[in-house]
Amino acid sequence: PLQMGNVSLQIPSAHICEIILGRTSKRCARMCSAAGHGPHELVVSASPIMYDLELLWEAGDHREAADIVIEDILALNPGTDEPRIRRGLHFDRRGVLQSWSLSMLGLTALPESFGTVRVAWNLALSANCLSTLPESFGGLKVGGTLTLGGNQLCSLPASFCRLRVGAGLWVSGNGLDLPLLPYVQTTHELPGP
């Protein structure tokens, strides 16, 4: 095993692994526990974390998937108040994420895991301090309106043209050249299980 401080990593040589240093995450602890490993022993899976997270959303495990995304948001925005992030979440009786308001939280960055989010209706990210979006952002599926207005965006990731929005996209109040805004696919199908 590879020893890193008090963490022992057992990595099968045939697997391609991505190791993120600098913090111990609850997600890693849950993965270790589920695999029957101790708190300081991590077996890295061959399947990428993003793929696993997409499967959670697609399977309808929206609460668990949202918990993982929230953990990643907090890691990139250490001064952000977790209860305020959670207050913006609205699930239906089946646990499907209906809407999520992340407006006016002072967010400066979104994690790559954010591109896996599935929202049946509206997703609000307005009035934050976002200057960039993660490359995965185009993987979002929003059944209603996506609001990004009032941030500091000057460019959009290449994946933005794959974005699926059901009703509308609001990007005003940024430094974007709107005539160059890429085509965003609109659909009236609601994401979910």
Side-chain angles (χ1 to χ4, degrees), residues 56-149:
L56 283 175
W57 287 109
E58 296 303 324
D61 294 329
H62 290 202
R63 289 183 191 276
E64 184 177 348
D67 285 345
I68 293 168
V69 173
I70 289 169
E71 183 181 322
D72 293 346
I73 290 170
L74 292 169
L76 290 176
N77 300 275
T80 303
D81 185 28
E82 183 175 356
R84 284 185 62 202
I85 291 175
R86 291 189 180 281
R87 257 192 308 271
L89 288 167
H90 298 283
F91 297 93
D92 69 9
R93 289 184 196 153
R94 298 173 305 158
V96 173
L97 182 58
Q98 295 297 298
S99 64
W100 194 359
S101 177
L102 292 164
S103 295
M104 298 186 292
L105 293 176
L107 299 177
T108 58
L110 295 174
E112 286 296 326
S113 61
F114 200 82
T116 66
V117 170
R118 306 293 181 258
V119 182
W121 295 109
N122 300 328
L123 177 60
L125 288 161
S126 56
N128 281 296
C129 302
L130 299 171
S131 58
T132 62
L133 297 172
E135 182 54 42
S136 66
F137 199 80
L140 277 174
K141 291 182 184 172
V142 180
T145 301
L146 171 62
T147 57
L148 286 163

Side-chain angles (χ1 to χ4, degrees), residues 154-166:
C154 294
S155 65
L156 299 170
S159 69
F160 201 83
C161 61
R162 292 192 328 263
L163 185 62
R164 292 183 57 189
V165 177

